[in-house]
Amino acid sequence: MKIGIISDTHGFIHPKIFDFFAQCDEVWHAGDMVSTDILDELSTITKVRAVYGNCDGWDVRGKYKEIEVFECEGHTVFLKHIIGNPKHYDYDVLPLIKKANPTIVVAGHSHILQIMNDAKNGWLFMNPGGGGKFGPHTHITFIRFDINSTDITNMEVYDEIKL
């Protein structure tokens, strides 16, 4: 499967998203879409999984959960907007992640692109950074990769300087 990950779009769909995610079997949105319209647009490309973020209103929160834990190609995925990062996970979130026993942890919120193996906890941590034009990030970023059983390959990052 080919997976796309995006976060913190804050009401903006970058025109390059459609090409970048065109071959994806699923797109995972890690929160702060601000409107369900964003997810409706992403659904024209492929299947979308999403969680709400701290900037999302009741329309988004009414349709999506705060946390999603699901299976994908033999991996357990933990998807939540505010998690922290491998150097400092939020103290109330770390037990929830450990209970889910994931192999992949996906976060948003920081607007900082991070893809790293968390050897201490035994999972791959990914934050796609800021996918929209609003927020503190200087680059618009989103990611895609292939997942097949134990293999995660072909990791690609879309990276554009935010003007």
Side-chain angles (χ1 to χ4, degrees):
M1 288 184 74
K2 186 172 283 296
I3 304 297
I5 304 179
I6 192 165
S7 182
D8 296 283
T9 48
H10 292 273
F12 175 73
I13 285 283
H14 192 290
K16 296 288 186 182
I17 286 174
F18 297 98
D19 288 336
F20 193 78
F21 290 156
Q23 301 303 313
C24 290
D25 298 295
E26 292 186 0
V27 171
W28 305 340
H29 196 301
D32 275 4
M33 62 277 308
V34 181
S35 166
T36 57
D37 293 346
I38 297 296
L39 300 175
D40 293 342
E41 287 189 60
L42 286 172
S43 329
T44 66
I45 305 169
T46 191
K47 177 181 177 178
V48 176
R49 295 180 188 262
V51 293
Y52 67 77
N54 60 301
C55 291
D56 291 318
W58 293 113
D59 61 330
V60 175
R61 291 170 188 242
K63 288 180 80 173
Y64 299 93
K65 298 177 188 175
E66 181 180 17
I67 298 170
E68 284 287 349
V69 177
F70 56 93
E71 298 296 316
C72 181
E73 293 290 309
H75 289 268
T76 301
V77 179
F78 185 94
L79 176 65
K80 184 177 185 318
H81 183 63
I82 300 176
I83 290 177
N85 62 61
K87 291 183 181 177
H88 178 74
Y89 291 107
D90 288 4
Y91 74 94
D92 57 335
V93 177
L94 187 57
L96 299 174
I97 300 172
K98 287 184 174 184
K99 182 178 179 186
N101 194 29
T103 51
I104 300 172
V105 173
V106 179
H109 188 63
S110 70
H111 294 242
I112 299 169
L113 173 69
Q114 290 182 297
I115 303 167
M116 58 194 310
N117 180 32
D118 182 343
K120 177 181 176 187
N121 290 297
W123 54 66
L124 175 63
F125 176 86
M126 291 188 273
N127 185 323
K133 60 183 177 179
F134 305 106
H137 54 284
T138 58
H139 289 241
I140 293 173
T141 56
F142 26 96
I143 60 179
R144 69 181 174 200
F145 58 94
D146 294 332
I147 184 171
N148 183 2
S149 186
T150 57
D151 297 327
I152 295 174
T153 58
N154 300 321
M155 187 71 67
E156 298 174 85
V157 175
Y158 178 85
D159 185 342
E160 175 183 307
I161 294 175
K162 182 174 86 170
L163 301 175

